[in-house]
Amino acid sequence: RCLVLEATAPFESFLSAFTLENLEGIIVTQKGKYIGFLSPQSLLRIVYQKRLYEVQDQNPLTKLPGNTKIGEYLDTTLPEETMRRTYVYFDINHFKSFNDHYGFRRGDRVIFLFASLLREIFPESQYFVGHVGGDDFFVGTRDGKISLADCLGRVQKVLEQFERDVQSFYDFEDRKRGYILGEDREGRPKKFPLLQAVAIVLHLQEGYAMCTPDML
């Protein structure tokens, strides 16, 4: 028994097809024309390669998609002028000074905290969340049901909750003072404020398209 699927069908459709009993394979078509046959063994190889590719692009600390997946997301969504799209870039201010002062282990905990907040506040069913690297993160959505006001509200919630939660990572005296002592790029003593995150939001209305991420 064989099933016929269009090549443009979602990948999940191919996976679910092989849960059917006594299925010998999938006949793949394009605009109604036969282009190939997919056996269960072939699908397993594709799934393995896909999972391997995804793991290789994941950030090892946060397990969020990295630059390759972020780039693919932008390449796919920027030209979609029939839909509203919103992109958010997050950065943590003064993270390097915190990392230098407390060490990379506590710095990693800060990065993990921020990634966890993004996952919690931006649900995977509606948003794409990625980790650019270091203390830089990316969020995007092309869900037409999501208003700009809703997205901005979630961004503000991330910023406010991070500012509150991250204070627990400071020693009592530093938290009480409201800053840590460190050195600037020239090696001169300097006071660094407690960590805060900032965000840049780009909202594209229907009818407006960008061809490449370089245009951002």
Side-chain angles (χ1 to χ4, degrees):
R1 184 163 69 119
C2 295
L3 187 71
V4 179
L5 284 176
E6 274 283 311
T8 54
F11 185 68
E12 289 73 17
S13 299
F14 288 86
L15 290 178
S16 61
F18 279 104
T19 63
L20 301 174
E21 292 185 10
N22 303 320
L23 186 71
E24 297 179 9
I26 297 175
I27 297 173
V28 184
T29 62
Q30 189 170 37
K31 295 182 180 179
K33 295 182 179 180
Y34 173 85
I35 61 171
F37 179 81
L38 189 62
S39 68
Q41 294 76 17
S42 299
L43 182 66
L44 284 174
R45 286 196 296 270
I46 293 172
V47 170
Y48 173 77
Q49 292 170 354
K50 185 174 185 291
R51 296 288 182 260
L52 182 63
Y53 170 73
E54 290 174 349
V55 168
Q56 288 175 337
D57 187 51
Q58 277 183 351
N59 182 279
L61 174 62
T62 62
K63 301 298 188 292
L64 289 173
N67 284 322
T68 301
K69 284 291 185 182
I70 294 172
E72 290 176 356
Y73 180 84
L74 290 171
D75 287 338
T76 301
T77 60
L78 283 173
E80 288 185 345
E81 59 182 87
T82 59
M83 305 180 71
R84 292 198 307 267
R85 292 134 295 156
T86 305
Y87 307 97
V88 189
Y89 181 88
F90 289 96
D91 181 52
I92 302 175
N93 283 342
H94 311 297
F95 177 74
K96 183 180 182 304
S97 59
F98 178 94
N99 215 36
D100 291 343
H101 185 80
Y102 285 112
F104 72 92
R105 291 189 183 276
R106 206 179 297 193
D108 283 351
R109 289 172 58 199
V110 170
I111 297 300
F112 188 79
L113 166 67
F114 197 83
S116 299
L117 287 175
L118 292 181
R119 279 198 181 95
E120 174 189 339
I121 295 172
F122 292 98
E124 185 179 357
S125 60
Q126 296 175 307
Y127 292 90
F128 172 89
V129 179
H131 188 173
V132 179
D135 59 333
D136 300 322
F137 293 84
F138 171 86
V139 172
T141 182
R142 53 178 170 176
D143 190 326
K145 298 178 182 178
I146 299 175
S147 67
L148 177 59
D150 177 76
C151 187
L152 291 176
R154 293 176 187 273
V155 170
Q156 189 63 33
K157 185 176 180 179
V158 169
L159 301 182
E160 292 175 354
Q161 190 166 334
F162 175 74
E163 186 175 354
R164 290 194 303 269
D165 293 351
V166 79
Q167 293 197 24
S168 64
F169 293 168
Y170 286 88
D171 293 345
F172 175 76
E173 288 301 323
D174 291 335
R175 188 165 63 247
K176 184 178 178 181
R177 282 196 306 261
Y179 62 86
I180 60 175
L181 296 173
E183 294 181 347
D184 62 16
R185 297 181 183 276
E186 284 72 39
R188 295 172 297 201
K190 183 177 179 179
K191 298 177 182 179
F192 291 94
L194 303 187
L195 293 174
Q196 290 181 322
V198 294
I200 299 174
V201 180
L202 172 65
H203 180 69
L204 300 180
Q205 289 283 12
E206 299 96 331
Y208 189 86
M210 289 184 173
C211 296
T212 67
D214 295 333
M215 297 175 65
L216 292 174

